[in-house]
Amino acid sequence: MSPDKTLADKAYRKLRAEILDGHLGAGQKLKLEALAKDCAVGMSPLREALARLQGDHLVVSEGQRGFWVAPLPLDEIDDVSRVRAMLETEALSASIAKGGSAWERRVKEAFERLSQFEEGMPSPGTERPAALLNAWEERNHAFHAALVSGSGSPCLTRLCEQLYQQSERYRRVSRMVSGGRRNVHEEHVAIFRAALERQTLKACRLVEDHILRTAEQIRLAMSLNELPDA
Amino acid sequence: MSPDKTLADKAYRKLRAEILDGHLGAGQKLKLEALAKDCAVGMSPLREALARLQGDHLVVSEGQRGFWVAPLPLDEIDDVSRVRAMLETEALSASIAKGGSAWERRVKEAFERLSQFEEGMPSPGTERPAALLNAWEERNHAFHAALVSGSGSPCLTRLCEQLYQQSERYRRVSRMVSGGRRNVHEEHVAIFRAALERQTLKACRLVEDHILRTAEQIRLAMSLNELPDA
DNA sequence: GATAGTCAAAATATCGAAAATTTCAACGCC
DNA sequence: GGCGTTGAAATTTTCGATATTTTGACTATC
């Protein structure tokens, strides 16, 4: 019952995960033959998967010269984060205004799942296994998605999703989810409360700070680690 | 010297044009064999082209059941247009604030090209050949792109481009570019002047009105013509 | 010594046929 | 009469081989 109906789906998911994990570094040349072997598929499904990843801006291709993992320019973190903050605050305020009980329930459930997880996590600074980070990432994603899910604007929701994904790539490449002194959990709690109390301005401000603060940490981590950016 | 480096590019462009033109109607099932023949390519390039169109939200696919032209829900015109208005006004105000002489030159050139064309066009209400509409569309697109090209935010620029494309699809499906009593040319002139005079608020308001008014006309045209929406 | 041209090796792009899946209508059963 | 089953036709998906293009080094020439 896997969600991979076709081999192209399988390859798509696998490659996508590898890129987001940073297993396939930014800017890296993708050797088709090797990838086909790794994914255990032929050329056609692989090529289809790559074409779809191109649509997600995770892969770039050039003429007849092959495919590369999309670069991750250091100087675009702030750009992406600012635009993302704008879209998410817009969507959040619309959700607070229009969101009904179904929205509230989604937010509560997503928050609960994230909250329980964060409280059981090792304190910041400790080493964390990759599996834990993936599980946290999934819940964090769900929480953000739930918050903006009541806007009544499918278009806006799609864009939020798209930008979340781009930010996530930066975060994961910098191998950091919440490092530093920040208590991300507390920020989530504050956002959750403000949203359900329908305090639009406060909630939006909190979300914006949340996003921009994360961006700042990522930029710091990347500039320190001199990670590949092209 | 065509920009089609590969057959997949060729199929991509052709299909894209056919979908935007409305030649391939919204929701329509795509028969791979027939398309391959039309595009004069094999299955592999065709499949790659479809995967890329999926990334552009112009095509949808399901499991192992094939491909369809993406639906064009009537009730999403307003949604798309509102989000687009938000993004374009944001990008325009940033461009006015930060745009240098290069931005001004791009705006002027694009406006000139569009303006000359619009002044030579048959008056509203007249029948127009498709080739004329395509030429107008290209210039209109360039003008809007130039306006937002000085924001200094590649991310925002990409999103504007993306939403412009989606709006364009609605416009062309409704077989109308500027019908009715509106004088779109005058609106363009007003936007151009306000932008170059650095009147941020005025320019943004004009752009917003421009986009929303177009949306209203499209919705009207579509609801009258009972065009396919799924 | 540097530059242009040539050629082989490597990688990508494409095709056409075979395999797997879905669809749909006819049939029998409850 | 309605409903699940069966089987053939249509369609999608995949593979392996072939054709095309790029790369990079080697040679000859200026």
Side-chain angles (χ1 to χ4, degrees), chain B residues 6-8 41-42 44-45 64-65:
Chain B
T6 74
L7 291 187
V41 301
S44 309
Q64 232 145 341
R65 301 186 38 227

Side-chain angles (χ1 to χ4, degrees), chain B residues 55-121:
Chain B
D56 296 339
H57 301 274
L58 256 42
V59 158
V60 297
S61 81
E62 195 182 330
Q64 232 145 341
R65 301 186 38 227
F67 296 84
W68 289 262
V69 179
L72 212 49
L74 184 54
D75 53 358
E76 276 194 20
I77 303 176
D78 293 311
D79 182 19
V80 171
S81 299
R82 270 196 296 266
V83 176
R84 183 183 153 211
M86 178 180 76
L87 290 173
E88 282 204 18
T89 54
E90 183 74 22
L92 176 57
S93 71
S95 293
I96 291 177
K98 300 184 200 167
S101 58
W103 170 70
E104 280 191 15
R105 195 178 55 247
R106 285 194 299 273
V107 171
K108 275 182 197 159
E109 280 176 11
F111 174 75
E112 278 307 320
R113 282 206 342 130
L114 175 61
S115 199
Q116 286 172 12
F117 194 85
E118 284 181 333
E119 282 167 354
M121 262 179 100

Side-chain angles (χ1 to χ4, degrees), chain A:
Chain A
M1 193 63 189
S2 80
D4 298 333
K5 297 287 284 185
T6 74
L7 291 187
D9 286 340
K10 178 180 160 190
Y12 174 74
R13 285 175 193 281
K14 181 165 164 61
L15 290 179
R16 179 195 171 87
E18 299 238 326
I19 292 174
L20 290 176
D21 276 355
H23 249 244
L24 292 169
Q28 178 177 337
K29 173 85 190 266
L30 294 171
K31 310 222 169 174
L32 270 48
E33 224 171 329
L35 286 184
K37 218 175 91 179
D38 282 354
C39 297
V41 300
M43 275 297 166
S44 309
L46 173 65
R47 184 161 267 277
E48 189 173 330
L50 287 172
R52 278 167 63 186
L53 287 168
Q54 234 185 317
D56 296 339
H57 301 274
L58 257 41
V59 158
V60 297
S61 81
E62 193 184 330
Q64 232 145 341
R65 302 186 40 228
F67 295 84
W68 290 261
V69 178
L72 210 50
L74 182 55
D75 52 358
E76 276 194 21
I77 304 175
D78 292 311
D79 181 20
V80 171
S81 299
R82 270 196 296 265
V83 176
R84 184 183 153 210
M86 176 179 76
L87 291 172
E88 282 203 21
T89 54
E90 183 74 21
L92 177 57
S93 71
S95 294
I96 290 177
K98 301 185 197 166
S101 57
W103 171 68
E104 281 190 13
R105 197 177 53 249
R106 285 196 299 274
V107 171
K108 276 182 196 157
E109 280 176 11
F111 175 74
E112 278 307 321
R113 282 208 339 132
L114 175 60
S115 200
Q116 286 172 14
F117 194 87
E118 284 182 334
E119 282 166 356
M121 261 178 101
S123 58
T126 319
E127 184 107 357
R128 288 129 155 166
L132 248 174
L133 294 190
N134 285 340
W136 176 84
E137 170 54 43
E138 189 261 322
R139 288 165 170 79
N140 185 53
H141 183 185
F143 179 56
H144 279 267
L147 279 172
V148 300
S149 71
S151 70
S153 168
C155 180
L156 194 52
T157 306
R158 268 199 302 273
L159 292 184
C160 285
E161 175 66 28
Q162 196 176 319
L163 285 221
Y164 180 90
Q165 204 179 95
Q166 286 191 37
S167 302
E168 183 192 338
R169 206 178 149 217
Y170 278 103
R171 186 182 326 126
R172 294 176 84 147
V173 166
S174 73
R175 306 200 194 302
M176 173 210 68
V177 294
S178 66
R181 273 174 220 76
R182 265 172 86 204
N183 194 332
V184 171
H185 179 50
E186 275 177 15
E187 292 181 25
H188 284 150
V189 172
I191 291 170
F192 171 69
R193 287 194 184 138
L196 283 206
E197 287 167 6
R198 312 265 168 177
Q199 301 194 27
T200 308
L201 249 55
K202 185 178 178 187
C204 288
R205 188 173 45 74
L206 288 171
V207 164
E208 186 171 2
D209 286 353
H210 181 66
I211 292 175
L212 296 184
R213 216 171 292 171
T214 302
E216 193 159 345
Q217 286 198 324
I218 291 172
R219 198 186 40 217
L220 192 68
M222 285 184 81
S223 60
L224 284 179
N225 295 13
E226 57 172 9
L227 281 158
D229 61 354

